[in-house]
Structures are given as structure tokens and as C-alpha cells.
């Protein structure tokens, strides 16, 4: 059974935002598009208009020097379950590849299973690249969509919920995360303003 679409690995290793060789003098000539049908590298807005009109094309965007893709553009062609989403410029996005994170003293309860980056919610991976590595290592996840029926979605959701429940039980037994109480103290004695 196939777990990863044939275009994904090449897209994740593609270098985006270079100037297009053909349309370098034009205003929108940076290569930030990827064609899932051709699977042949990045191209610019003008190349899309002339060579990829009827193809499935996704646009890659940048956030803090890292490549991202909008969830709305990729969720119909890729199973993005278990990958952390972020909101950037009021759009939900996913990072394409792992982003190095300096080690901090904070012991968060959720970390990426591949790179150890802190996660905000009940996710397993911080990027599409980390999920790909997780699939290659364990084979316990997939990128291929199984169908768009509600029953398939229900099966995926119940499996995910069961797996997260098991992980939470393991945490309770291992005492991985113990929240520390926070208390706020006043800075000083309150005083009345003079009349």
C-alpha cells in the first residue's frame, strides 16, 4: 500500500523563491509554485499561466524565511492529520520542512516525534517533512487520502483520538508533565491619587 504521493518528496526538497530563468525581468518572477501533475521543480506565476493552466498547482509562501503552504490548498490532495497548523496572516498554514529550534529549559508536554520541536496542541509532527520521516521510520501514518466520505473521516478521527488517549495515559504514568501553579503578586501597596 502506498503511504506517500509520488510528488511529495520532490516538492519538499525543492528550493523555492529563486528568480525564474525565463521571466527574470518581470515583477512576479520568483519561483513559488509547484505543479503536482508535472512534479518537475518550482516555477513562477508566468510559467503557471503558460505551461500549467489545467494542472494541479499549489503556491508556496514564506514565513520567517521558512516555506509554508496554506491548509486550504493542500488538504484536498494530502492527508495532513497529525501535522501542527499555524495561523499566519489570517490563513491556516503548514510548514514544509523541519525548523531548527534552540533547546530551552521549558519542558513542554507535546513535541514533534521526529525533531523534538515543541507543539502547541495534540499533534505528532511540526511539518510535512517530519511526518514524511515518521512514515519512513514507523509506517504508522499516511499522506494518501483514503476518500472524502464521512465514514472514512470518522475512522481516522476515532483512531487519532484513541492514539492520543493512549499517549495521555502514558504521560500520567510517567509524570512527564506536571504543571506549576502560577501566582501573581502586587508590585506594591496601592495608593490613592492626590485630589
Amino acid at each position: 500500500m502506498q503511504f506517500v504521493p509520488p510528488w511529495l518528496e520532490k516538492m519538499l526538497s525543492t528550493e523555492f523563491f529563486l528568480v525564474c530563468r525565463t521571466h527574470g525581468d518581470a515583477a512576479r518572477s520568483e519561483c513559488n509554485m509547484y505543479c503536482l501533475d508535472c512534479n518537475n521543480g518550482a516555477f513562477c506565476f508566468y510559467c503557471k499561466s503558460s505551461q500549467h493552466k489545467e494542472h494541479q498547482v499549489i503556491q508556496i509562501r514564506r514565513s520567517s524565511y521558512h516555506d509554508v503552504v496554506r491548509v486550504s490548498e493542500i488538504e484536498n490532495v494530502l492527508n495532513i492529520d497529525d501535522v501542527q497548523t499555524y495561523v499566519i496572516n489570517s490563513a491556516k498554514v503548514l510548514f514544509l520542512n523541519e525548523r531548527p529550534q534552540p533547546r530551552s529549559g521549558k519542558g513542554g508536554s507535546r513535541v514533534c516525534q521526529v525533531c523534538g520541536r515543541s507543539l502547541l496542541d495534540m499533534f505528532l509532527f511540526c511539518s510535512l517533512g517530519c511526518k514524511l520521516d515518521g512514515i519512513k521510520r514507523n509506517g504508522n501514518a499516511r499522506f494518501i487520502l483514503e476518500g472524502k466520505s464521512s465514514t472514512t473521516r470518522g475512522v481516522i478521527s476515532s483512531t487519532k483520538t484513541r492514539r492520543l488517549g493512549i499517549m495521555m495515559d502514558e504521560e500520567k504514568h510517567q509524570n512527564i508533565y506536571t504543571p506549576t501553579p502560577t501566582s501573581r503578586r502586587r508590585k506594591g501597596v496601592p495608593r490613592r491619587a492626590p485630589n
Side-chain angles (χ1 to χ4, degrees):
M1 179 172 271
Q2 187 182 22
F3 294 110
V4 180
W7 49 265
L8 182 63
E9 282 191 77
K10 184 154 186 189
M11 184 186 81
L12 293 178
S13 64
T14 297
E15 191 173 354
F16 292 98
F17 298 97
L18 299 173
V19 176
C20 179
R21 290 179 184 170
T22 310
H23 306 103
D25 296 334
R28 297 171 70 182
S29 65
E30 61 183 11
C31 297
N32 66 340
M33 307 273 182
Y34 195 86
C35 180
L36 307 184
D37 297 320
C38 297
N39 194 22
N40 197 20
F43 53 89
C44 77
F45 169 80
Y46 301 103
C47 292
K48 177 187 176 190
S49 301
S50 62
Q51 300 167 23
H52 305 276
K53 256 185 187 167
E54 304 297 321
H55 295 179
Q56 264 189 309
V57 173
I58 58 173
Q59 182 178 355
I60 306 301
R61 292 169 165 79
R62 274 268 159 108
S63 173
S64 302
Y65 304 105
H66 295 285
D67 297 339
V68 299
V69 63
R70 284 189 175 167
V71 169
S72 60
E73 286 187 46
I74 201 140
E75 67 185 346
N76 294 327
V77 293
L78 200 63
N79 178 337
I80 57 171
D81 286 351
D82 300 325
V83 181
Q84 171 77 54
T85 58
Y86 300 87
V87 177
I88 298 173
N89 295 332
S90 7
K92 259 189 176 180
V93 300
L94 297 165
F95 282 90
L96 293 191
N97 292 299
E98 143 185 4
R99 295 164 295 140
Q101 179 180 30
R103 297 280 176 214
S104 66
K106 296 177 184 175
S109 63
R110 296 275 173 228
V111 294
C112 177
Q113 289 187 348
V114 173
C115 72
R117 184 176 187 84
S118 296
L119 299 176
L120 300 175
D121 290 306
M122 307 293 244
F123 295 100
L124 302 177
F125 307 102
C126 70
S127 66
L128 295 175
C130 283
K131 182 173 178 177
L132 178 63
D133 286 350
I135 290 171
K136 286 180 175 180
R137 289 180 193 177
N138 308 325
N140 63 349
R142 67 182 57 214
F143 275 118
I144 301 294
L145 290 170
E146 293 181 30
K148 296 180 183 178
S149 68
S150 58
T151 54
T152 304
R153 284 282 175 210
V155 169
I156 291 169
S157 298
S158 65
T159 305
K160 184 176 178 180
T161 304
R162 190 169 55 251
R163 185 171 61 237
L164 292 173
I166 291 167
M167 287 170 55
M168 290 169 70
D169 287 343
E170 286 174 0
E171 277 185 14
K172 287 178 192 170
H173 290 96
Q174 295 174 2
N175 292 326
I176 291 174
Y177 178 71
T178 52
T180 55
T182 57
S183 59
R184 292 182 161 236
R185 293 182 4 186
R186 295 188 86 110
K187 290 185 178 181
V189 179
R191 303 201 189 276
R192 272 201 128 144
N195 290 342

